Amino acid sequence: GLGNRAELTLRMEPFEVPRGKKRLFADPRASLKISLLDEGKGGGERKVPSFFLQTVPLRIEGAGLVSARNKTSFLELQGQVTPDFTALAPLLAPVIGREVMVSGNRPAEFLLSLPLSLPLKREQMTFTVQLPLESLRFQGIGLRQLTLPVDVNRGKLRLSIDSQLDGGRAALEPSWDLGAHQTVVTLTPGTQLLKDVPLKPPLVDGLLGRLHPLFGVLAQPQGLVDLRVDSFSAPVLEKGPQQPVFTVAVALDRIKFKPTGGLREMLDLDGYDQAWLRCKEREVICEGKDGRVSCGPVHLLAGEAEFGLRGAMHPGGSLQYQVRLPVSKQLADKVQLVVHADVTVEAEIGGTR
């Protein structure tokens, strides 16, 4: 015979996903249709000729089977998933953060293995899909028309982002440890996040401006930038990812800087009117913890003269930087100093980004 076939249809009106007292997501008309076929082969295996889930943020169509492994039943599905990232945003925000903007609604092929037991054993779940995205934006980095591989395996969620960016390249592979007591997002050590990327205002005002004041606060940069992530981790709480602990290296050898604000005033006072300055160092290392970002010293070159810059940015964007500059004859004359040898003066630069 054809075996025993069962059809199940569920309509959930309305369907809600709460988080504490907040309602993360509500769907006025979610529906699930699934058919099961028991061919009488034993072993607890049943075919799933059709599976259909329709919600506002997600539509899933597929087929597969229910199988038993180590006394646990698993739903094994393959098919198509069609996301609506605008509607998914409230559900994704606690994991990826509110500053990450994703758009796209095209279907993608997926594979899923889901343990049918409660509470859900996330380390036993596997899921793979390659999502076609219209755009992905974070920290002033805007990527368009890319494919995003997503992999859930052994309690970890991994994304693989690799895309052109204004003629350069942006790449990163964030990983979320879902099995830990507290979810943590990390990046692979040595990630080349940016390569040959032109310095445009969104990037300068976003990611780079949060690292060092030479990017948009004390100077306007011009050129191409590379950025390497040596380490990165951030706990993920209900309100989203928290302040990360990180170490990054920003390449400086293809960038020139036009001093602005307090730095420009100091250089004018010292008689240095050169419009564009370069850095002596090939790269600067910046470390972040508890919202504070401190960077190694850099030295700006103006002709024969050299200006040192070091310090930190505090949470909220306030600056605590020191500038060390040589005392020029013009400055010595202004303050009526007699200079017999090389003398430097150090000054504080404050302000906010």
Side-chain angles (χ1 to χ4, degrees):
L2 297 174
N4 297 315
R5 189 180 185 111
E7 302 276 348
L8 174 67
T9 301
L10 287 177
R11 294 190 184 279
M12 296 159 275
E13 301 179 5
F15 175 68
E16 295 185 356
V17 177
R19 185 185 287 272
K21 295 182 179 180
K22 291 177 66 178
R23 189 173 66 180
L24 268 187
F25 162 73
D27 195 322
R29 195 169 294 178
S31 66
L32 170 66
K33 294 180 182 178
I34 184 170
S35 64
L36 294 170
L37 178 62
D38 188 347
E39 296 180 320
K41 293 180 179 179
E45 185 172 300
R46 294 180 180 179
K47 283 190 174 180
V48 181
S50 67
F51 179 97
F52 178 79
L53 175 66
Q54 177 71 59
T55 66
V56 169
L58 211 59
R59 172 190 175 108
I60 298 175
E61 295 178 85
L65 54 87
V66 175
S67 63
R69 298 200 304 269
N70 300 325
K71 299 181 180 180
T72 301
S73 292
F74 284 81
L75 174 62
E76 318 269 2
L77 281 182
Q78 68 179 81
Q80 274 197 341
V81 57
T82 307
D84 181 335
F85 284 105
T86 302
L88 272 174
L91 291 171
L92 294 177
V95 179
I96 64 175
R98 300 188 184 281
E99 290 189 4
V100 181
M101 308 294 290
V102 188
S103 69
N105 56 10
R106 286 183 288 158
E109 302 291 324
F110 76 90
L111 286 171
L112 170 70
S113 178
L114 184 70
L116 299 176
S117 60
L118 291 175
L120 177 65
K121 295 176 180 176
R122 292 185 284 192
E123 69 276 6
Q124 294 183 351
M125 172 184 168
T126 63
F127 177 72
T128 58
V129 67
Q130 297 208 9
L131 294 171
L133 303 184
E134 294 294 321
S135 66
L136 174 64
R137 298 182 181 278
F138 58 98
Q139 298 282 351
I141 298 172
L143 308 177
R144 299 189 60 80
Q145 304 296 335
L146 68 151
T147 299
L148 178 66
V150 179
D151 179 67
V152 178
N153 195 3
R154 296 182 181 178
K156 290 186 181 291
L157 163 64
R158 296 179 181 86
L159 307 182
S160 182
I161 300 165
D162 190 347
S163 177
Q164 283 196 331
L165 177 61
D166 296 329
R169 199 141 205 93
L172 70 158
E173 294 187 355
S175 173
W176 288 259
D177 189 342
L178 305 175
H181 174 67
Q182 182 183 59
T183 301
V184 177
V185 58
T186 58
L187 293 181
T188 306
T191 294
Q192 191 69 47
L193 175 57
L194 301 176
K195 181 71 175 171
D196 303 329
V197 176
L199 288 164
K200 293 190 174 182
L203 179 60
V204 172
D205 297 338
L207 173 63
L208 297 176
R210 297 179 183 187
L211 294 175
H212 200 287
L214 281 177
F215 294 95
V217 181
L218 299 180
Q220 288 301 323
Q222 192 178 93
L224 300 176
V225 68
D226 297 345
L227 190 149
R228 187 183 72 248
V229 181
D230 290 332
S231 66
F232 179 98
S233 68
V236 180
L237 306 182
E238 285 193 8
K239 55 188 176 182
Q242 300 305 291
Q243 295 285 7
V245 177
F246 64 84
T247 302
V248 300
V250 184
L252 302 171
D253 52 340
R254 293 185 292 167
I255 304 174
K256 58 181 181 178
F257 298 91
K258 185 176 186 179
T260 59
L263 182 58
R264 178 73 271 166
E265 291 172 12
M266 284 187 186
L267 297 183
D268 285 346
L269 185 65
D270 212 11
Y272 295 99
D273 57 0
Q274 193 167 319
W276 293 94
L277 309 178
R278 292 196 177 271
C279 279
K280 184 177 179 180
E281 291 76 15
R282 291 182 61 84
E283 67 177 20
V284 61
I285 305 293
C286 296
E287 297 179 342
K289 187 176 183 181
D290 298 327
R292 182 180 184 271
V293 181
S294 58
C295 297
V298 296
H299 297 85
L300 296 164
L301 303 176
E304 298 293 314
E306 186 179 294
F307 311 99
L309 186 65
R310 60 185 173 86
M313 276 200 209
H314 294 282
S318 62
L319 295 184
Q320 187 179 5
Y321 263 79
Q322 295 83 39
V323 180
R324 182 184 290 272
L325 62 165
V327 176
S328 66
K329 184 176 184 306
Q330 178 175 317
L331 180 60
D333 290 346
K334 277 184 182 177
V335 295
Q336 297 181 337
L337 274 177
V338 178
V339 179
H340 295 292
D342 291 342
V343 177
T344 61
V345 62
E346 191 166 282
E348 291 274 345
I349 289 189
T352 56
R353 62 172 296 279

